Amino acid sequence: MSKKVITISRECGSGGHTIGKLIAEKLNVSFYDKRLLELVVQQSGLTEDVIKEQGEYTTTSLLYTLATNISYSYNVNTKGNMILPDQIFAFQTEIIKGLAEKESCVIVGRCSDYILRNRDDCLHVFIHANMEAKKARIISEHRVAPEKAETHIKDREKKRSTHYHYYTDRNWGYAKNYHLCLDSGILGIEKCVDLILSALE
Amino acid sequence: MSKKVITISRECGSGGHTIGKLIAEKLNVSFYDKRLLELVVQQSGLTEDVIKEQGEYTTTSLLYTLATNISYSYNVNTKGNMILPDQIFAFQTEIIKGLAEKESCVIVGRCSDYILRNRDDCLHVFIHANMEAKKARIISEHRVAPEKAETHIKDREKKRSTHYHYYTDRNWGYAKNYHLCLDSGILGIEKCVDLILSALE
């Protein structure tokens, strides 16, 4: 199996970001999380704050917008033009496709598994964990208050799942979308890294 | 990670049964597929044919029964008593729990991941593959006619999925139900075996 791009989709607090970073270090390849944002900022003229919020959590669904009471259907870029979330997604899509074309790398989130689904040289990974493990991680590593941890996780996962479904017409966390799905709460971070590296061999 | 029971859930034609058997051989532990049927036959007094059909593919849903036009809501055991599919599931449940209690083993299918979900010493695995890989496998290994292969797979998976959902209230193939989900079409059978063994270490 010869794969040069690894996409990591992950539940909030599952350690998927850490796993992706460790994989990139071990393979000595680029790691795209916030760096992807910088590329979108450069190419779109949008501000980083707007993209950070829109890039993984929104849809253009009017019903969804009304239901969540967030008026983000339209945004203004730094050049004063109106930008739809669909256009942000289009920017991201082109950037992710371009990265996969030109280099080996690890990409975290942003529907990258779906965007690169037709390439044969990608390994698509999903990392999940039980609620207790996820709570422990975001409390200790992201300093979320213990009493708010579960709500924080559920809220982010709801948004991530809705965004994924809107742009891919797939169900987030469904095993068939990925080549490898791992429970980091049971297996542990190091074992997840080992298994992904082994899958690449 | 110390796991003594491995449950394997699998798509039709994914090679999950073969993977389970190879794991059992490598670990030198019991492998339960048809052997599980024999245990249910011994304890329930039902015939093997009835259990084979009912054990993984049916629900007691009246609507489902009417929709599929199969009158299997009630069956007669060898002692002449009426047996509900729920009772067959109950027999299987007790047997699977008993096996996990007394020995290390590999168990294929029959909602064993759900039945043993509260034990800490089990590794739950799901094996899937793309349609072309599954068709190739059932044509070559199970002698299904090429023109019938896709329908055969979809029919069995539909029944398996419905049965799983009915008894577990979970969605079949959803990554969170398992510790490890593997795409055997991309990774290959041997790599899947290696990854499962590595996850057990």
Side-chain angles (χ1 to χ4, degrees):
Chain A
M1 185 182 183
S2 174
K3 304 291 181 192
K4 67 172 219 172
V5 177
I6 298 109
T7 70
I8 310 263
S9 306
R10 76 294 181 212
E11 288 189 339
C12 176
S14 68
H17 183 273
T18 303
I19 289 167
K21 200 170 182 184
L22 288 168
I23 295 282
E25 285 170 10
K26 297 241 182 196
L27 295 175
N28 195 28
V29 299
S30 303
F31 176 62
Y32 289 103
D33 56 342
K34 288 183 183 172
R35 285 185 62 197
L36 196 64
L37 291 182
E38 293 165 15
L39 295 175
V40 180
V41 168
Q42 287 165 18
Q43 295 193 23
S44 68
L46 286 165
T47 66
E48 185 166 326
D49 284 347
V50 168
I51 295 166
K52 197 171 180 180
E53 180 60 25
Q54 301 268 348
E56 224 172 0
Y57 294 118
T58 66
T59 75
T60 53
S61 155
L62 178 62
L63 185 62
Y64 179 76
T65 303
L66 292 171
T68 55
N69 198 27
I70 302 168
S71 57
Y72 48 47
S73 283
Y74 292 88
N75 300 284
V76 180
N77 70 6
T78 54
K79 295 168 187 163
N81 301 317
M82 299 297 276
I83 297 285
L84 284 163
D86 283 355
Q87 286 178 292
I88 296 175
F89 187 77
F91 274 124
Q92 285 187 169
T93 298
E94 287 314 305
I95 288 166
I96 289 169
K97 282 183 175 177
L99 291 173
E101 193 61 41
K102 77 172 186 181
E103 64 173 316
S104 290
C105 57
V106 175
I107 305 172
V108 173
R110 296 176 186 268
C111 306
S112 47
D113 59 293
Y114 174 78
I115 291 166
L116 302 178
R117 69 194 179 283
N118 293 327
R119 291 186 69 102
D120 292 334
D121 56 358
C122 302
L123 182 76
H124 303 304
V125 179
F126 182 74
I127 308 291
H128 59 95
N130 59 60
M131 182 55 78
E132 288 313 305
K134 292 189 291 188
K135 280 168 66 177
R137 175 171 288 274
I138 67 161
I139 290 166
S140 69
E141 296 194 8
H142 303 286
R143 297 184 185 178
V144 174
E147 66 276 16
K148 294 182 179 173
E150 188 160 337
T151 304
H152 176 91
I153 289 167
K154 287 182 175 173
D155 179 59
R156 289 181 81 88
E157 290 184 354
K158 179 85 176 171
K159 288 176 178 170
R160 220 174 261 183
S161 154
T162 305
H163 175 87
Y164 185 83
H165 185 69
Y166 177 78
Y167 283 109
T168 70
D169 206 21
R170 289 175 169 185
N171 291 323
W172 190 65
Y174 182 53
K176 284 192 73 68
N177 299 342
Y178 314 96
H179 301 137
L180 193 60
C181 300
L182 303 171
D183 183 334
S184 63
I186 295 294
L187 297 165
I189 299 295
E190 282 184 27
K191 177 57 79 178
C192 288
V193 171
D194 289 348
L195 292 171
I196 295 167
L197 291 173
S198 172
L200 288 169
E201 283 166 6
Chain B
M1 184 182 185
S2 173
K3 304 291 181 192
K4 66 172 217 171
V5 176
I6 299 109
T7 70
I8 309 265
S9 306
R10 76 292 182 213
E11 288 188 339
C12 175
S14 68
H17 183 272
T18 303
I19 290 167
K21 199 169 181 183
L22 288 168
I23 295 282
E25 285 171 9
K26 298 241 183 196
L27 296 175
N28 196 27
V29 299
S30 301
F31 176 62
Y32 290 102
D33 57 341
K34 288 184 183 172
R35 284 183 63 196
L36 196 65
L37 292 182
E38 293 165 16
L39 296 174
V40 180
V41 168
Q42 285 166 19
Q43 295 191 25
S44 68
L46 285 165
T47 66
E48 187 167 323
D49 284 348
V50 168
I51 295 165
K52 198 171 180 180
E53 179 60 24
Q54 303 264 348
E56 226 172 359
Y57 294 117
T58 67
T59 75
T60 54
S61 154
L62 178 60
L63 185 61
Y64 180 76
T65 304
L66 291 171
T68 53
N69 197 27
I70 302 168
S71 56
Y72 49 47
S73 282
Y74 292 88
N75 300 284
V76 181
N77 70 5
T78 53
K79 293 169 188 164
N81 301 318
M82 298 298 275
I83 299 286
L84 283 163
D86 283 355
Q87 287 178 291
I88 296 174
F89 186 77
F91 274 125
Q92 286 187 171
T93 298
E94 288 314 304
I95 288 166
I96 288 169
K97 282 184 174 176
L99 290 173
E101 195 59 42
K102 76 172 187 181
E103 63 173 316
S104 291
C105 57
V106 175
I107 304 173
V108 173
R110 296 179 185 266
C111 306
S112 48
D113 59 293
Y114 175 78
I115 290 166
L116 302 177
R117 68 194 179 285
N118 292 328
R119 291 187 71 102
D120 292 333
D121 56 358
C122 301
L123 182 76
H124 302 304
V125 179
F126 182 74
I127 307 291
H128 60 93
N130 59 59
M131 182 56 78
E132 287 313 305
K134 292 189 290 187
K135 279 168 66 178
R137 175 171 288 276
I138 68 161
I139 289 167
S140 70
E141 296 194 8
H142 301 287
R143 298 186 184 177
V144 174
E147 67 276 14
K148 294 182 179 174
E150 187 160 338
T151 304
H152 176 91
I153 289 166
K154 286 182 175 173
D155 179 60
R156 289 181 82 88
E157 289 184 354
K158 179 85 175 169
K159 289 177 179 171
R160 222 175 259 182
S161 156
T162 305
H163 175 86
Y164 185 82
H165 184 69
Y166 178 80
Y167 282 109
T168 69
D169 207 21
R170 290 175 168 185
N171 292 323
W172 190 65
Y174 183 53
K176 284 192 72 68
N177 299 341
Y178 314 95
H179 301 136
L180 193 61
C181 301
L182 304 170
D183 183 334
S184 63
I186 296 294
L187 298 164
I189 298 295
E190 282 183 28
K191 178 57 79 178
C192 288
V193 171
D194 289 348
L195 291 170
I196 295 167
L197 292 174
S198 172
L200 288 169
E201 283 167 5

